[in-house]
Amino acid sequence: MTQKEYKNLFDEDDAVGWWEIDKAIEKLYGDAEPRHYAPQLHYMVGGEDPLDGVSIFDSRNQEFHRHLVSYGMSELYYNEEAAGGEFSKWGFEFTFRLKPFEEDGEDPTWVVNLMNNLARYVIKSGRWFEENHVIPANGPIRVGGKKEIDIVGVAFTLDPEMEKIQTPHGEVAFLQMVGLTSGEMDRIKSSDSVYEEVKKVLEEMKANNPLMITDLDRR
């Protein structure tokens, strides 16, 4: 899309990229209303959370789970300078699928915090995430609960139901965060090729868990 075409299609008040994420979600959930968590103060005016928000849906595919999708790692709003780019801003949004965990109550808001922590890392370091990247959590990914958790790392894969979209600002990949156990993290760390080992671990997981749903009780 050229800048001229972009300016003819959109107005300055249009949330161009946000709409594209909404369209991708609607293919899965139709007109279902998400539970949306947004920061009280926007990051650009001094807020602490870089993401403009995270939507949570209840999915019954494969098994009942919460499906979280971020807004903010890609270009969300009107920006004619970004028209026709190869990638929209950082080129991805976070997703996460979580089997309900008894200590979470209705929604796992800790995942919203985790996504924002990773977003801060990207912004401060200038390093983005891609498929088969992995990041250690240096402890359980969910903190503060009474129950012992052995999910201590996060790997990234394409969301099996969303994958990638092309937007007026460029490509957006929906990168799903997948929780890894201490054993899986040890296996990855000891490998000669971290990237290839992460890929193998995820492929093995997909055999019995095609949607890559994270279960905090898994060991």
Side-chain angles (χ1 to χ4, degrees), residues 96-99 101 104 108-115 117-118 134-145 147-155 177-182 185 213-218:
F96 194 90
R97 295 174 185 269
L98 181 70
K99 184 176 180 178
F101 184 67
D104 282 342
T109 52
W110 63 269
V111 180
V112 178
N113 294 331
L114 177 59
M115 288 180 172
N117 286 338
L118 293 176
V134 66
I135 187 165
N138 298 318
I141 62 171
R142 186 193 188 280
V143 297
K147 194 169 185 179
E148 187 176 336
I149 293 169
D150 190 44
I151 303 298
V152 296
V154 171
M177 301 157 54
V178 181
L180 301 179
T181 64
S182 58
M185 287 300 298
I213 299 166
T214 294
D215 179 358
L216 294 182
D217 289 321
R218 190 170 68 87

Side-chain angles (χ1 to χ4, degrees), residues 145-165:
K146 297 179 181 178
K147 194 169 185 179
E148 187 176 336
I149 293 169
D150 190 44
I151 303 298
V152 296
V154 171
F156 296 89
T157 189
L158 285 180
D159 188 298
E161 293 186 315
M162 299 180 75
E163 296 190 343
K164 298 179 181 180
I165 58 173

Side-chain angles (χ1 to χ4, degrees), residues 21-210:
I21 298 172
D22 283 349
K23 288 177 189 176
I25 291 173
E26 284 168 12
K27 291 179 181 178
L28 282 179
Y29 299 108
D31 58 0
E33 285 293 325
R35 299 181 296 279
H36 189 77
Y37 291 83
Q40 291 185 342
L41 185 64
H42 195 280
Y43 190 70
M44 297 303 293
V45 291
E48 294 183 357
D49 293 337
L51 297 176
D52 286 42
V54 176
S55 285
I56 304 180
F57 293 85
D58 294 330
S59 175
R60 288 170 174 78
N61 293 344
Q62 185 176 308
E63 64 176 301
F64 182 81
H65 63 278
R66 312 293 188 198
H67 189 194
L68 297 89
V69 183
S70 76
Y71 289 75
M73 300 309 293
S74 61
E75 191 72 53
L76 297 180
Y77 307 108
Y78 181 94
N79 182 355
E80 59 191 58
E81 298 300 323
E86 183 178 2
F87 298 102
S88 177
K89 199 166 156 182
W90 294 103
F92 70 92
E93 291 291 348
F94 296 112
T95 78
F96 194 90
R97 295 174 185 269
L98 181 70
K99 184 176 180 178
F101 184 67
E102 58 188 28
E103 294 186 22
D104 282 342
E106 182 179 15
D107 282 332
T109 52
W110 63 269
V111 180
V112 178
N113 294 331
L114 177 59
M115 288 180 172
N116 272 295
N117 286 338
L118 293 176
R120 276 188 284 272
Y121 165 81
V122 170
I123 292 168
K124 291 179 180 179
S125 70
R127 301 173 65 183
W128 58 90
F129 297 113
E130 296 180 9
E131 294 174 73
N132 303 315
H133 281 184
V134 66
I135 187 165
N138 298 318
I141 62 171
R142 186 193 188 280
V143 297
K146 297 179 181 178
K147 194 169 185 179
E148 187 176 336
I149 293 169
D150 190 44
I151 303 298
V152 296
V154 171
F156 296 89
T157 189
L158 285 180
D159 188 298
E161 293 186 315
M162 299 180 75
E163 296 190 343
K164 298 179 181 180
I165 58 173
Q166 297 299 324
T167 79
H169 300 138
E171 181 182 278
V172 177
F174 291 98
L175 285 185
Q176 184 167 313
M177 301 157 54
V178 181
L180 301 179
T181 64
S182 58
E184 288 163 342
M185 287 300 298
D186 289 343
R187 173 182 161 185
I188 289 166
K189 290 175 183 177
S190 63
S191 173
D192 292 334
S193 173
V194 168
Y195 180 90
E196 290 299 325
E197 198 63 34
V198 171
K199 189 175 180 180
K200 288 178 184 177
V201 168
L202 293 176
E203 285 174 350
E204 290 168 10
M205 193 183 297
K206 284 179 183 178
N208 297 313
N209 181 10

